[in-house]
Amino acid sequence: MRVYVSELKNFVGQEVELKGWVYNSRSSGKIKFLLLRDGTGLCQCVFFKGECDPEAFEVFGQVSQECSVRIKGVVREEPRSPGGVELGAQSLEILAPSVDYPIGPKEHGVDFLMNHRHLWLRSKRQHAVMRIRAELVSAIRDFFDGRGFTLTDAPIFTPSACEGTSTLFETTYFDEKAYLSQSGQLYMEATAAALGKVYCFGPTFRAEKSKTRRHLIEFWMVEPEVAFADLYDNMELAEQFVEYIVQRTLKNRPEELAALERNTEALEKVKAPFPRLHYKEATDIILKENPEFVVGGDFGGTDETIISSKFDRPVFVHHFPSAIKAFYMKEDPQESGSSMSCDLLATEGYGEIIGGGQREESLEVLVRKIREHNLRIEDFEWYLDLRRYGSFPHSGFGLGLERTVAWVCGLSHVRETIPFPRLYGRNYP
Ligand code: 4AD
Ligand code: MG
C-alpha cells in the first residue's frame, strides 16, 4: 500500500510503499541508510544485506541527493527516528535521477540560494517556513469567516493609487493606463457599505526601489473593513485578530517553530489587549534614544525597534500626523492635524505589521484631500459615491502576511517568507 511518511506511525508492522526524494544516504558495510523526503516528512529507510532484495543493495550505489525513488518495506518502531518509526526496507527503485544537485549540506551564499529558490524550497527550514505561512493563512481566513465577515476580494488592475503615487506599478489596460493594486482598501469600503463586515486577502504590489529586510515588491495583505466602526473598535479587532493567528500557530505548528529554533516566549505573551501609544507618546520614547528623530515624521526601522523594545507585546501607535498619511485617513475632529490612524508594531523589533484606521466620511473633506494629494478626482468618482449615498463611519486595516510570517518564524528578512519572493532587482525564478 502506498502511504505518506506522515502516516507511517499508523502502519507499524505492515508492509508499505513510499515515494519521494532522497534527502541523503550513507552506507557502512552491511547496512545502508537512506533518508527519504516525500513532502509530508522525513523517513529513515534501513537496508540490511541479506534482509532486503539483493538488487536493492546494488541500486543503492546509484542513488544521489534528490533523485526520486520508490521504496517498499516494513514499518517498525524506532524511538530515535523522526516520528518514532523507520522503514525496514526491502526494495528500492530509482524513478528519475538527480545529477549534481546544486544545494549541498555546505553553506551557500544568499544570492546563490535565491537563484535556486525553486530547489531551496526542498530543504527542512523552508518546509517549516512554508507550513507556518500556510497555517497563518488558514488562521486568518478562519478568524474572519468565523466572525461574520464576507470575503470580497478586490481587483488587481486598478485605475488609481491608494497608497501614494511613488510606489505605483504602471501597466497598460488595452488602450488605457492601469496600475497594479497597492491595497484593496478602497474597494473594501464599497463592499463594507454592501455587506457590513468584509475582507479581502490577496497579492498587492509596491514599486519600492529599496533593498530592505521588510519590503517585498509583491506581498500578500489581508484587509478587513467594518461599517460603523471607529478607530478604537478597529484596534480592538486588530488585537483580537493578531492574538488568534499567533496563538493558533503556536498550538498547531510547534514542530516547525522548533525546527526554526524560534524562541516562542515572546509569542506566547501575544494576548489582547495590546498597549496603545499616541504618536506624541511614541515620539517621546524615540527621542530619548534617537535624538535625530524629527517629530512629525514617519518612523524608521530603528525607531520602531526602540518602541517595541519597551513592551512585551505588540504595540499600537495611533494618531500619526495627517501630513504623513494617505488621503483617505480621517482627521481627528478633536485634534487638528492628527489622523485617526493606527499602526501595530510587532514584538522584538520586527516592525510594523498592520497599518489602518478610520476613513474620512465627509464628501467635501475627501474632495479637498484628493486635490491636495495631487490625485485625479475623476479616478475617484466611484469612491466619492460612497460618501454621496449614505456615508457612514467606517474603519479597517491591512496586515502584511510576509512581515507576520517573518515575525512568527523569527526570520531577519522577508525574502524567505513567500515561496517565490519578488524583491527590488529580483524577478527570478
Ligand atoms: O500600512 P500600509 O501601506 O496600509 C495600507 O495599505 C492600507 N490601505 C491597509 C488598510 O487599511 N486596508 O500596508 C499595510 C501593511 C503594512 O503594515 C505591512 O505589514 C505590509 O502591509 N506592507 C508590506 N509588506 C511587505 N513589503 C512591502 N513593501 C509592504 N508594504 C506594506
Ligand atoms: Mg503603513
Side-chain angles (χ1 to χ4, degrees):
M1 183 171 24
R2 199 249 154 144
V3 300
Y4 288 99
V5 169
S6 60
E7 306 163 334
L8 283 178
K9 53 186 178 303
N10 306 321
F11 291 91
V12 173
Q14 296 185 49
E15 193 182 310
V16 298
E17 176 185 295
L18 294 174
K19 283 184 195 170
W21 297 264
V22 173
Y23 203 69
N24 65 43
S25 59
R26 65 195 163 87
S27 311
S28 61
K30 289 190 172 166
I31 183 163
K32 295 183 191 291
F33 299 95
L34 187 155
L35 198 56
L36 180 91
R37 175 181 82 66
D38 77 345
T40 71
L42 292 167
C43 173
Q44 164 141 287
C45 305
V46 186
F47 295 81
F48 255 122
K49 196 167 188 159
E51 273 182 23
C52 64
D53 296 351
E55 308 93 82
F57 234 64
E58 263 165 57
V59 176
F60 198 99
Q62 293 153 35
V63 303
S64 54
Q65 192 185 350
E66 290 300 322
C67 72
S68 51
V69 293
R70 183 196 343 250
I71 302 179
K72 287 183 189 162
V74 176
V75 184
R76 59 183 179 223
E77 274 172 356
E78 172 49 72
R80 286 167 299 175
S81 277
V85 289
E86 66 175 21
L87 193 76
Q90 270 150 13
S91 68
L92 168 65
E93 186 188 339
I94 295 180
L95 301 174
S98 160
V99 181
D100 298 334
Y101 186 71
I103 302 177
K106 65 173 190 292
E107 288 275 310
H108 294 286
V110 168
D111 228 39
F112 178 88
L113 289 169
M114 292 300 285
N115 282 333
H116 293 85
R117 182 67 179 163
H118 49 296
L119 302 177
W120 187 21
L121 287 169
R122 299 184 189 192
S123 53
K124 259 197 251 175
R125 269 179 65 83
Q126 300 306 315
H127 301 166
V129 177
M130 290 304 123
R131 291 223 169 82
I132 289 171
R133 178 187 171 101
E135 182 70 40
L136 283 165
V137 168
S138 140
I140 287 168
R141 294 199 182 282
D142 287 348
F143 179 86
F144 290 116
D145 295 346
R147 285 170 184 242
F149 282 70
T150 303
L151 176 71
T152 55
D153 282 325
I156 285 171
F157 281 117
T158 59
S160 54
C162 177
E163 294 300 321
T165 48
S166 66
T167 63
L168 265 186
F169 255 111
E170 196 176 305
T171 178
T172 55
Y173 195 77
F174 304 102
D175 300 330
E176 290 165 35
K177 261 193 202 171
Y179 307 97
L180 300 186
S181 177
Q182 297 168 307
S183 158
Q185 179 197 319
L186 306 186
Y187 296 96
M188 292 309 99
E189 294 184 49
T191 58
L195 295 150
K197 295 198 278 183
V198 296
Y199 73 104
C200 63
F201 191 10
T204 44
F205 307 84
R206 309 247 174 124
E208 313 260 12
K209 286 195 172 167
S210 60
K211 296 189 179 179
T212 79
R213 299 184 292 118
R214 293 175 185 171
H215 288 92
L216 287 160
I217 302 304
E218 181 174 329
F219 65 97
W220 281 62
M221 182 155 52
V222 54
E223 298 181 83
E225 193 72 30
V226 181
F228 303 104
D230 67 12
L231 168 65
Y232 303 95
D233 301 326
N234 197 45
M235 288 195 272
E236 218 173 288
L237 178 69
E239 67 196 4
Q240 287 169 12
F241 168 61
V242 170
E243 169 181 330
Y244 177 82
I245 62 172
V246 169
Q247 295 308 322
R248 194 169 114 178
T249 306
L250 283 173
K251 180 164 162 263
N252 290 355
R253 295 288 162 195
E255 283 169 27
E256 285 78 6
L257 290 162
L260 295 168
E261 293 169 19
R262 176 66 164 117
N263 177 347
T264 54
E265 250 169 69
L267 298 178
E268 272 145 29
K269 293 192 192 127
V270 178
K271 297 265 167 84
F274 299 161
R276 297 175 181 186
L277 297 179
H278 188 284
Y279 175 82
K280 282 202 202 94
E281 296 172 274
T283 56
D284 287 344
I285 295 176
I286 294 170
L287 282 171
K288 284 189 193 130
E289 285 171 47
N290 176 13
E292 260 139 64
F293 177 79
V294 181
V295 176
D298 209 352
F299 304 154
T302 353
D303 306 316
E304 290 180 350
T305 305
I306 293 170
I307 297 169
S308 64
S309 70
K310 305 289 173 287
F311 300 92
D312 67 354
R313 342 172 153 218
V315 48
F316 285 109
V317 180
H318 56 85
H319 283 89
F320 284 84
S322 296
I324 57 166
K325 286 289 180 188
F327 73 93
Y328 54 71
M329 290 281 189
K330 184 177 170 69
E331 190 168 313
D332 193 331
Q334 319 291 322
E335 209 186 306
S336 148
S338 290
S339 65
M340 298 181 81
S341 54
C342 59
D343 279 8
L344 183 70
L345 310 181
T347 58
E348 306 150 276
Y350 284 92
E352 178 200 329
I353 52 168
I354 280 181
Q358 189 167 340
R359 323 307 188 185
E360 181 54 65
E361 74 242 40
S362 145
L363 178 64
E364 292 68 35
V365 175
L366 207 45
V367 168
R368 172 166 57 76
K369 289 274 188 71
I370 290 172
R371 295 220 167 94
E372 281 170 9
H373 280 77
N374 292 316
L375 297 166
R376 289 173 5 139
I377 210 89
E378 316 76 283
D379 294 337
F380 293 94
E381 285 300 340
W382 70 270
Y383 182 68
L384 294 170
D385 274 353
L386 308 176
R387 278 69 184 171
R388 290 187 185 108
Y389 305 108
S391 194
F392 59 116
H394 58 289
S395 303
F397 62 84
L399 170 121
L401 176 63
E402 289 75 15
R403 289 198 194 166
T404 307
V405 175
W407 170 46
V408 172
C409 290
L411 303 173
S412 60
H413 199 294
V414 290
R415 67 186 158 223
E416 286 178 54
T417 62
I418 182 164
F420 296 97
R422 293 293 165 253
L423 297 158
Y424 183 51
R426 174 170 296 280
N427 189 25
Y428 178 92

Coordinates of all heavy atoms in Angstrom, one line a residue, residues 56-116:
A56 N 18.3 -4.3 -4.5 CA 18.2 -3.1 -3.8 C 19.6 -2.6 -3.3 O 19.9 -1.4 -3.4 CB 17.3 -3.2 -2.6
F57 N 20.4 -3.5 -2.9 CA 21.7 -3.1 -2.4 C 22.5 -2.5 -3.5 O 23.3 -1.6 -3.3 CB 22.4 -4.4 -1.8 CG 22.9 -4.1 -0.4 CD1 22.0 -3.8 0.6 CD2 24.3 -4.1 -0.1 CE1 22.5 -3.6 1.9 CE2 24.7 -3.9 1.2 CZ 23.8 -3.6 2.2
E58 N 22.4 -3.1 -4.7 CA 23.1 -2.6 -5.9 C 22.6 -1.2 -6.3 O 23.3 -0.3 -6.6 CB 22.9 -3.5 -7.1 CG 24.1 -4.5 -7.3 CD 23.7 -5.6 -8.2 OE1 23.3 -5.3 -9.3 OE2 23.8 -6.8 -7.8
V59 N 21.2 -1.1 -6.4 CA 20.6 0.2 -6.8 C 21.1 1.3 -5.9 O 21.3 2.4 -6.3 CB 19.1 0.0 -6.8 CG1 18.4 1.4 -7.1 CG2 18.6 -1.0 -7.8
F60 N 21.2 0.9 -4.6 CA 21.6 1.9 -3.6 C 22.8 2.7 -4.0 O 23.0 3.9 -3.8 CB 21.8 1.3 -2.2 CG 21.8 2.2 -1.1 CD1 20.7 2.4 -0.3 CD2 22.9 3.0 -0.8 CE1 20.6 3.3 0.7 CE2 22.9 3.9 0.3 CZ 21.8 4.1 1.0
G61 N 23.8 2.0 -4.7 CA 25.0 2.6 -5.2 C 24.8 3.7 -6.2 O 25.7 4.5 -6.4
Q62 N 23.6 3.7 -6.8 CA 23.3 4.8 -7.8 C 22.5 5.9 -7.3 O 22.2 6.9 -8.0 CB 22.6 4.1 -9.0 CG 23.4 3.1 -9.8 CD 22.6 2.1 -10.5 OE1 21.5 2.4 -10.9 NE2 23.1 0.9 -10.5
V63 N 22.0 5.9 -6.0 CA 21.2 7.0 -5.6 C 22.1 8.2 -5.3 O 23.2 8.1 -5.0 CB 20.3 6.7 -4.3 CG1 19.4 5.5 -4.5 CG2 21.2 6.5 -3.1
S64 N 21.4 9.3 -5.5 CA 22.1 10.6 -5.3 C 21.1 11.6 -4.7 O 19.9 11.3 -4.8 CB 22.7 11.2 -6.6 OG 21.6 11.3 -7.5
Q65 N 21.6 12.6 -4.1 CA 20.7 13.6 -3.4 C 19.6 14.1 -4.4 O 19.9 14.5 -5.5 CB 21.5 14.8 -2.9 CG 20.7 15.7 -2.0 CD 21.5 16.9 -1.6 OE1 22.7 17.0 -1.8 NE2 20.8 17.8 -0.9
E66 N 18.4 14.0 -3.9 CA 17.2 14.4 -4.7 C 16.7 13.6 -5.9 O 15.9 14.0 -6.6 CB 17.3 15.9 -5.1 CG 17.2 16.9 -3.9 CD 15.9 16.8 -3.1 OE1 14.9 16.6 -3.7 OE2 16.0 16.9 -1.8
C67 N 17.3 12.4 -6.1 CA 16.8 11.6 -7.1 C 15.4 11.1 -6.6 O 15.2 10.9 -5.4 CB 17.7 10.4 -7.5 SG 17.9 9.1 -6.3
S68 N 14.5 10.8 -7.4 CA 13.2 10.3 -7.0 C 13.1 8.8 -6.9 O 13.7 8.1 -7.8 CB 12.0 10.9 -7.8 OG 12.3 10.6 -9.2
V69 N 12.5 8.3 -5.9 CA 12.6 6.8 -5.7 C 11.3 6.2 -5.2 O 10.4 7.0 -4.7 CB 13.7 6.5 -4.6 CG1 15.1 6.7 -5.1 CG2 13.4 7.2 -3.3
R70 N 11.1 4.9 -5.3 CA 10.1 4.2 -4.7 C 10.7 3.1 -3.8 O 11.6 2.4 -4.2 CB 9.2 3.5 -5.8 CG 8.0 2.8 -5.3 CD 7.4 1.7 -6.2 NE 7.7 1.8 -7.6 CZ 6.8 2.2 -8.6 NH1 5.6 2.6 -8.2 NH2 7.2 2.2 -9.8
I71 N 10.2 3.1 -2.6 CA 10.8 2.1 -1.6 C 9.7 1.3 -1.0 O 8.7 1.9 -0.6 CB 11.6 2.9 -0.5 CG1 12.7 3.7 -1.2 CG2 12.2 1.9 0.5 CD1 13.6 4.5 -0.2
K72 N 9.9 0.0 -0.9 CA 8.9 -0.8 -0.2 C 9.6 -1.4 1.0 O 10.8 -1.7 1.0 CB 8.4 -1.9 -1.1 CG 7.5 -1.5 -2.2 CD 6.9 -2.6 -3.0 CE 6.1 -2.1 -4.1 NZ 6.0 -3.1 -5.2
G73 N 8.9 -1.6 2.1 CA 9.4 -2.2 3.3 C 8.4 -2.3 4.4 O 7.2 -2.0 4.2
V74 N 8.9 -2.7 5.6 CA 8.0 -2.9 6.7 C 8.3 -1.8 7.7 O 9.4 -1.5 8.1 CB 8.2 -4.3 7.3 CG1 7.4 -4.5 8.6 CG2 7.9 -5.4 6.3
V75 N 7.2 -1.2 8.2 CA 7.3 -0.1 9.2 C 7.6 -0.7 10.6 O 7.0 -1.6 11.0 CB 6.0 0.7 9.3 CG1 6.2 1.9 10.2 CG2 5.6 1.2 7.9
R76 N 8.6 -0.1 11.2 CA 8.9 -0.6 12.6 C 9.2 0.6 13.5 O 9.6 1.7 13.1 CB 10.0 -1.6 12.6 CG 11.3 -1.0 12.1 CD 12.4 -2.1 12.1 NE 13.6 -1.6 11.6 CZ 14.4 -2.2 10.7 NH1 14.1 -3.4 10.2 NH2 15.5 -1.7 10.3
E77 N 9.0 0.4 14.8 CA 9.2 1.5 15.8 C 10.6 1.7 16.0 O 11.4 0.8 16.0 CB 8.5 1.1 17.1 CG 7.1 1.5 17.1 CD 6.3 1.0 18.3 OE1 6.8 0.2 19.2 OE2 5.1 1.3 18.4
E78 N 11.0 3.0 16.1 CA 12.4 3.3 16.3 C 12.4 4.7 17.0 O 12.3 5.7 16.3 CB 13.2 3.4 15.0 CG 14.6 3.9 15.1 CD 15.4 3.3 16.2 OE1 15.8 2.2 16.1 OE2 15.7 4.0 17.2
P79 N 12.5 4.7 18.3 CA 12.3 6.0 19.1 C 13.3 7.0 18.7 O 13.0 8.2 18.8 CB 12.5 5.5 20.5 CG 12.5 4.1 20.6 CD 12.7 3.5 19.2
R80 N 14.5 6.7 18.1 CA 15.5 7.7 17.8 C 15.2 8.4 16.5 O 15.8 9.3 16.1 CB 16.9 7.1 17.8 CG 17.4 6.8 19.2 CD 18.6 5.9 19.1 NE 18.3 4.6 18.5 CZ 19.2 3.6 18.2 NH1 20.4 3.8 18.5 NH2 18.8 2.5 17.7
S81 N 14.3 7.8 15.7 CA 14.0 8.4 14.3 C 12.9 9.4 14.4 O 12.1 9.4 15.3 CB 13.5 7.2 13.4 OG 14.6 6.5 12.9
P82 N 12.9 10.3 13.4 CA 11.8 11.3 13.3 C 10.5 10.6 13.3 O 10.3 9.7 12.5 CB 12.1 12.1 12.1 CG 13.1 11.3 11.3 CD 13.8 10.4 12.3
G83 N 9.5 11.0 14.1 CA 8.2 10.4 14.1 C 8.1 9.0 14.8 O 7.1 8.4 14.9
G84 N 9.3 8.6 15.4 CA 9.3 7.4 16.2 C 9.2 6.1 15.4 O 9.1 5.0 15.9
V85 N 9.4 6.2 14.0 CA 9.3 5.0 13.2 C 10.4 5.0 12.1 O 10.9 6.1 11.8 CB 8.0 4.8 12.5 CG1 6.9 4.4 13.4 CG2 7.6 6.0 11.7
E86 N 10.7 3.9 11.6 CA 11.6 3.8 10.4 C 11.1 2.7 9.5 O 10.2 2.0 9.9 CB 13.1 3.6 10.9 CG 13.3 2.2 11.5 CD 14.8 2.0 11.8 OE1 15.6 2.9 11.9 OE2 15.2 0.8 11.9
L87 N 11.8 2.6 8.4 CA 11.3 1.6 7.4 C 12.4 0.5 7.3 O 13.6 0.9 7.0 CB 11.0 2.2 6.1 CG 10.3 1.3 5.1 CD1 8.8 1.2 5.5 CD2 10.4 1.8 3.6
G88 N 12.1 -0.7 7.6 CA 13.0 -1.8 7.3 C 12.8 -2.1 5.8 O 11.8 -2.8 5.4
A89 N 13.7 -1.5 5.0 CA 13.5 -1.5 3.5 C 13.7 -2.9 2.9 O 14.6 -3.6 3.3 CB 14.4 -0.5 2.9
Q90 N 12.9 -3.2 1.9 CA 13.1 -4.4 1.1 C 13.5 -4.2 -0.3 O 14.4 -4.8 -0.8 CB 11.7 -5.2 1.1 CG 11.7 -6.2 2.3 CD 10.3 -6.5 2.8 OE1 9.3 -6.1 2.1 NE2 10.1 -7.0 3.9
S91 N 12.8 -3.2 -1.0 CA 13.2 -2.9 -2.4 C 13.4 -1.4 -2.6 O 12.8 -0.6 -1.8 CB 12.1 -3.5 -3.3 OG 10.9 -2.7 -3.1
L92 N 14.1 -1.1 -3.6 CA 14.4 0.2 -3.9 C 14.5 0.4 -5.4 O 15.1 -0.4 -6.2 CB 15.8 0.6 -3.4 CG 16.5 1.9 -3.8 CD1 15.6 3.1 -3.4 CD2 17.9 2.1 -3.3
E93 N 13.7 1.4 -5.9 CA 13.7 1.7 -7.4 C 14.0 3.1 -7.6 O 13.3 4.0 -6.9 CB 12.3 1.3 -7.9 CG 12.2 1.3 -9.4 CD 10.7 1.1 -9.8 OE1 9.9 0.5 -9.0 OE2 10.3 1.5 -10.9
I94 N 14.9 3.5 -8.5 CA 15.1 4.9 -8.8 C 14.1 5.3 -9.9 O 14.0 4.6 -11.0 CB 16.5 5.1 -9.3 CG1 17.5 4.9 -8.1 CG2 16.7 6.6 -9.8 CD1 19.0 5.1 -8.4
L95 N 13.3 6.3 -9.7 CA 12.3 6.7 -10.7 C 12.9 7.7 -11.6 O 12.5 7.7 -12.8 CB 11.1 7.3 -10.0 CG 10.4 6.3 -9.0 CD1 9.3 7.0 -8.2 CD2 9.8 5.1 -9.7
A96 N 13.7 8.6 -11.1 CA 14.4 9.5 -12.0 C 15.6 10.0 -11.3 O 15.7 10.2 -10.1 CB 13.5 10.7 -12.3
P97 N 16.7 10.2 -12.1 CA 18.0 10.6 -11.5 C 18.1 12.1 -11.1 O 17.2 12.8 -11.5 CB 19.0 10.3 -12.6 CG 18.2 10.5 -13.9 CD 16.8 10.1 -13.6
S98 N 19.0 12.4 -10.3 CA 19.3 13.8 -10.0 C 20.8 13.9 -10.0 O 21.5 13.4 -9.1 CB 18.7 14.1 -8.6 OG 19.3 15.2 -8.1
V99 N 21.4 14.5 -11.0 CA 22.8 14.6 -11.2 C 23.4 15.9 -10.7 O 22.9 17.0 -11.1 CB 23.2 14.4 -12.6 CG1 24.7 14.4 -12.8 CG2 22.7 13.0 -13.2
D100 N 24.3 15.9 -9.8 CA 25.0 17.1 -9.2 C 23.9 18.1 -8.7 O 23.9 19.3 -9.2 CB 25.8 17.8 -10.3 CG 27.0 16.9 -10.8 OD1 27.4 16.0 -10.0 OD2 27.4 17.1 -12.0
Y101 N 23.1 17.7 -7.8 CA 22.2 18.6 -7.2 C 22.9 19.8 -6.6 O 23.9 19.6 -5.8 CB 21.4 17.9 -6.1 CG 20.3 18.7 -5.5 CD1 19.1 19.0 -6.2 CD2 20.4 19.2 -4.2 CE1 18.1 19.7 -5.6 CE2 19.4 19.9 -3.6 CZ 18.2 20.2 -4.3 OH 17.2 20.9 -3.8
P102 N 22.5 21.0 -7.0 CA 23.4 22.2 -6.6 C 23.4 22.5 -5.1 O 24.4 23.2 -4.7 CB 22.8 23.3 -7.4 CG 21.6 22.8 -8.0 CD 21.4 21.4 -7.8
I103 N 22.4 22.2 -4.4 CA 22.4 22.6 -3.0 C 22.8 21.5 -2.1 O 22.2 20.4 -2.0 CB 21.0 23.1 -2.5 CG1 20.6 24.3 -3.5 CG2 21.0 23.6 -1.1 CD1 19.2 24.8 -3.2
G104 N 24.0 21.6 -1.4 CA 24.5 20.6 -0.6 C 24.4 21.0 0.9 O 23.9 22.0 1.2
P105 N 25.0 20.2 1.7 CA 25.0 20.5 3.2 C 25.9 21.7 3.5 O 25.7 22.3 4.5 CB 25.5 19.2 3.9 CG 25.9 18.3 2.8 CD 25.7 18.9 1.5
K106 N 26.8 22.0 2.6 CA 27.7 23.2 2.9 C 26.9 24.5 2.9 O 25.8 24.6 2.3 CB 28.9 23.2 2.0 CG 28.5 23.5 0.5 CD 29.8 23.6 -0.3 CE 29.5 24.1 -1.7 NZ 28.8 23.2 -2.6
E107 N 27.5 25.5 3.5 CA 26.9 26.8 3.5 C 26.9 27.4 2.1 O 27.9 27.4 1.4 CB 27.7 27.8 4.4 CG 27.5 27.5 5.9 CD 26.3 28.1 6.5 OE1 26.1 29.3 6.3 OE2 25.5 27.4 7.2
H108 N 25.7 28.0 1.7 CA 25.7 28.7 0.4 C 25.4 30.2 0.7 O 24.7 30.5 1.6 CB 24.6 28.1 -0.4 CG 24.8 26.7 -0.9 ND1 25.7 26.4 -1.8 CD2 24.2 25.5 -0.4 CE1 25.7 25.0 -2.0 NE2 24.8 24.5 -1.2
G109 N 25.8 31.0 -0.2 CA 25.5 32.4 -0.1 C 24.0 32.7 -0.4 O 23.4 31.9 -1.1
V110 N 23.5 33.8 0.1 CA 22.1 34.2 -0.1 C 21.8 34.3 -1.6 O 20.7 33.8 -2.0 CB 21.8 35.5 0.6 CG1 20.4 36.0 0.2 CG2 21.9 35.3 2.1
D111 N 22.6 34.9 -2.4 CA 22.3 35.1 -3.8 C 22.2 33.8 -4.5 O 21.3 33.6 -5.3 CB 23.5 35.9 -4.4 CG 22.9 37.1 -5.2 OD1 21.9 37.6 -4.8 OD2 23.4 37.3 -6.3
F112 N 23.1 32.8 -4.2 CA 23.1 31.5 -4.8 C 21.8 30.8 -4.4 O 21.1 30.3 -5.3 CB 24.3 30.7 -4.2 CG 24.3 29.3 -4.8 CD1 24.9 29.0 -6.0 CD2 23.7 28.2 -4.1 CE1 25.0 27.7 -6.5 CE2 23.7 26.9 -4.6 CZ 24.3 26.7 -5.8
L113 N 21.4 30.9 -3.1 CA 20.1 30.2 -2.7 C 18.9 30.9 -3.4 O 18.0 30.2 -3.8 CB 20.0 30.3 -1.2 CG 21.0 29.4 -0.5 CD1 21.0 29.6 1.0 CD2 20.7 27.9 -0.7
M114 N 18.9 32.2 -3.5 CA 17.8 32.9 -4.1 C 17.7 32.5 -5.6 O 16.6 32.4 -6.1 CB 18.0 34.4 -4.0 CG 17.8 34.9 -2.5 SD 16.2 34.5 -1.8 CE 15.3 35.7 -2.6
N115 N 18.8 32.4 -6.3 CA 18.8 31.9 -7.7 C 18.3 30.5 -7.8 O 17.8 30.1 -8.9 CB 20.2 32.0 -8.3 CG 20.6 33.5 -8.6 OD1 19.7 34.3 -8.9 ND2 21.8 33.8 -8.6
H116 N 18.4 29.7 -6.8 CA 17.9 28.4 -6.8 C 16.7 28.2 -5.9 O 16.5 27.1 -5.3 CB 19.1 27.4 -6.3 CG 20.2 27.4 -7.3 ND1 21.2 28.3 -7.3 CD2 20.4 26.5 -8.3 CE1 22.0 28.0 -8.3 NE2 21.6 26.9 -8.9

